[in-house]
Amino acid sequence: RPFRNLTLPLKTPGAQKWLMLSARPESSNNGTMLISFRGVATDVTAAKQAEAHISYLAHYDALTDLANRSLFNDMLAHALRRKARDERLCLLYLDIDHFKAVNDTLGHPVGDKLLQVVARRLEEVCRDCDVVGRLGGDEFAVLVSNNMAQDRLADLCDQISAALNLPIQVDGQQLLVGTSIGVAVFVEGECDADELMQRADLALYAAKEAGRNCWCPFQPGMVEAAQLRRQLELDLRAALGRGELVLHYQPLINCETEETVCYEALVRWHHPERGVMMPDSFITIAEDCGLIVQLGEWVLRKALHDAALWPEHIRVSVNLSPAQMGSPNLISTIISALSASGVVPERLELEITESVLLKKSEENKALLHQIRKIGVRISLDDFGTGYSSLNYLRSFPFDKIKIDRSFVNDIDSREDSRAIVRAVTDLARSLSMTTTAEGVERPEQLAQLIAEGCTEAQGFLFGRPQPLEAFPELRPLDQELLRLRPAGSITALPIILGKNSDPTIIESLRKQA
Ligand code: C2E
Ligand code: MG
Ligand code: MG
């Protein structure tokens, strides 16, 4: 019978070739006997190789030669289907800590080479029967089969951590990275491949939350925590529009005169069901989902709007999240908020944490210099809680260092805390920076801080963070208010004045409007 497009593998010396044949039978003259086939043979080797390459690209990661996400998922699903009844399967989900910083500071070619080294090290540590895959970016996964016991699994995670913690040489540069690992164990009939992947991902999130460069096993409570996070994220999106965020203010006093020189704005969320929520429970959510830019802008505008009516010698400080530093509009937002409020830049302090100088340090430093050029002051918040390198103090000319309350807490009882505070105040003085001690709760602490040369103090001893209305000294005199508020800004009144405000002020402003 005739045939068309029959692919025929052909082994030739030194090479595998492929032919594609199409032919028709040829019969003898009287048509009774088949004597041959007549047709065309095409060399399709190049097309076959391209097809194989495409199939390879569809299943393997071109950079590291590891299984890609699609193949890894298939293998995981297959392993779950085929596994013996009591066999345990474990899934490790890995993420290289601060990989983005390597890409951003040293360039993508260096980042690529780093990922290749990571892939090889993972393969070296894992057994041949385990599947190592790259799921994308700096995310890797390992499928551990063959019933690995719990303690051996812990060993494997430690070995992976140790292997990836060793310095990596790329183009003559030595790189140090860490990795966070989420671990999920498949227990009979409990979940499918997608759910197992989600569990490992949740465990990875927990490992990152725990400070990174560590591994963390999945726990059932993590599912609820993730759901809560998602719900809060949705609520937070709506909260901004519904006016559920409010600012509280906490005074900073001058240690010598004990007069208030500044108020720090601290955000609170009046959640309709959960009541008042503190920033620690929603700032990270806002940072993770990008809402922090909007939230931060609201805080800045509101704080400046409030401060416009305070006595002019009192400054206002606003916390700036590292995630806001990535916003291209930060400078214009600061300028616009300052001009809308009429507050001079010198009265605004922006508080940043050390992590700003850790990630994208050069870009961020340039941005901080720009902010300072406007005249805004920059404070280093929570000094002592991060990497605490005194180098940070030299790397940028901060106006102020806020010494974290962990050192202030036992300054009146522990010599080492005292020595640290002394070292920071001495250095700050020599670099013309001021210092604020955070979390001052007892007079003994204040006495010690004054002895060590601290400039300012903040803490429950002088006042807890409270709504604006709780500070009578921040309520403007009638005349000042009339001078500062142009006609037409009457809508802002209920926020500015609070319920105890003098009704005559409101009345006269209403007339102006
Ligand atoms: P922070 O900037 O270091 O603010 C000081 C925190 O210490 C505040 O907690 C304050 O209530 C608390 N505190 C002050 N004095 C004392 C004391 O004497 N003893 C004790 N135990 N604690 C004291 P809060 O308001 O819960 O804020 C926590 C953190 O949330 C802030 O730490 C800041 O990093 C962040 N945050 C607050 N508001 C904002 C905001 O508007 N934007 C951003 N990005 N972060 C904010
Ligand atoms: Mg602060
Ligand atoms: Mg602080």
Side-chain angles (χ1 to χ4, degrees), residues 250 264-268 278-280 283 292 295 299 319-321 324 351 381-382 405 438-441 458-460 465:
Q250 188 180 29
E264 177 171 4
L266 296 159
V267 67
R268 269 87 181 110
M278 301 303 274
D280 288 342
I283 291 288
I292 191 69
L295 187 151
V299 172
N319 291 283
L320 201 65
S321 151
Q324 282 171 268
E351 299 193 2
D381 203 357
D382 303 338
R405 73 163 173 269
E438 301 190 85
V440 184
E441 295 180 355
Q458 174 181 12
F460 295 169

Side-chain angles (χ1 to χ4, degrees), residues 152-328:
R152 286 269 300 109
L153 185 65
D155 285 347
L156 177 67
C157 292
D158 289 341
Q159 281 167 15
I160 291 177
S161 283
L164 299 188
N165 273 249
L166 292 175
I168 293 177
Q169 290 284 347
V170 175
D171 295 345
Q173 309 205 51
Q174 201 179 55
L175 307 177
L176 284 172
V177 293
T179 183
S180 305
I181 310 175
V183 182
V185 178
F186 180 79
V187 186
E188 192 60 47
E190 226 201 351
C191 66
D192 61 14
D194 284 349
E195 275 174 82
L196 191 64
M197 199 58 114
Q198 265 170 20
R199 290 178 180 195
D201 192 17
L202 287 173
L204 172 63
Y205 184 87
K208 287 185 192 172
E209 286 280 284
R212 299 174 187 266
N213 203 20
C214 62
W215 60 272
C216 194
F218 168 79
Q219 271 148 14
M222 289 174 182
V223 179
E224 283 91 76
Q227 281 162 352
L228 176 65
R229 258 198 319 270
R230 253 194 307 276
Q231 187 55 52
L232 284 180
E233 185 187 319
L234 290 175
D235 293 351
L236 193 54
R237 273 182 208 285
L240 277 158
R242 288 202 292 247
E244 289 169 10
L245 296 181
V246 289
L247 289 188
H248 281 197
Y249 290 95
Q250 188 180 29
L252 276 73
I253 62 115
N254 178 302
C255 284
E256 264 176 39
T257 61
E258 293 214 11
E259 275 172 9
T260 303
V261 286
C262 180
Y263 283 86
E264 177 171 4
L266 296 159
V267 67
R268 269 87 181 110
W269 177 10
H270 286 247
H271 192 285
E273 285 135 40
R274 297 174 198 278
V276 179
M277 293 183 62
M278 301 303 274
D280 288 342
S281 56
F282 64 89
I283 291 288
T284 26
I285 295 177
E287 285 173 341
D288 287 350
C289 69
L291 264 179
I292 191 69
V293 174
Q294 230 180 314
L295 187 151
E297 179 170 350
W298 179 84
V299 172
L300 182 68
R301 287 185 184 277
K302 176 75 173 85
L304 285 171
H305 180 272
D306 289 345
L309 299 180
W310 301 351
E312 274 176 14
H313 65 279
I314 294 187
R315 301 186 302 268
V316 61
S317 74
V318 172
N319 291 283
L320 201 65
S321 151
Q324 282 171 268
M325 302 288 287
S327 158

Side-chain angles (χ1 to χ4, degrees), residues 369-396:
H369 276 292
Q370 267 181 290
I371 297 174
R372 255 183 125 234
K373 266 203 197 127
I374 306 171
V376 173
R377 301 152 72 104
I378 309 275
S379 310
L380 182 58
D381 203 357
D382 303 338
F383 185 74
T385 50
Y387 285 77
S388 312
S389 163
L390 291 179
N391 272 336
Y392 288 133
L393 302 184
R394 288 194 320 186
S395 69
F396 183 81

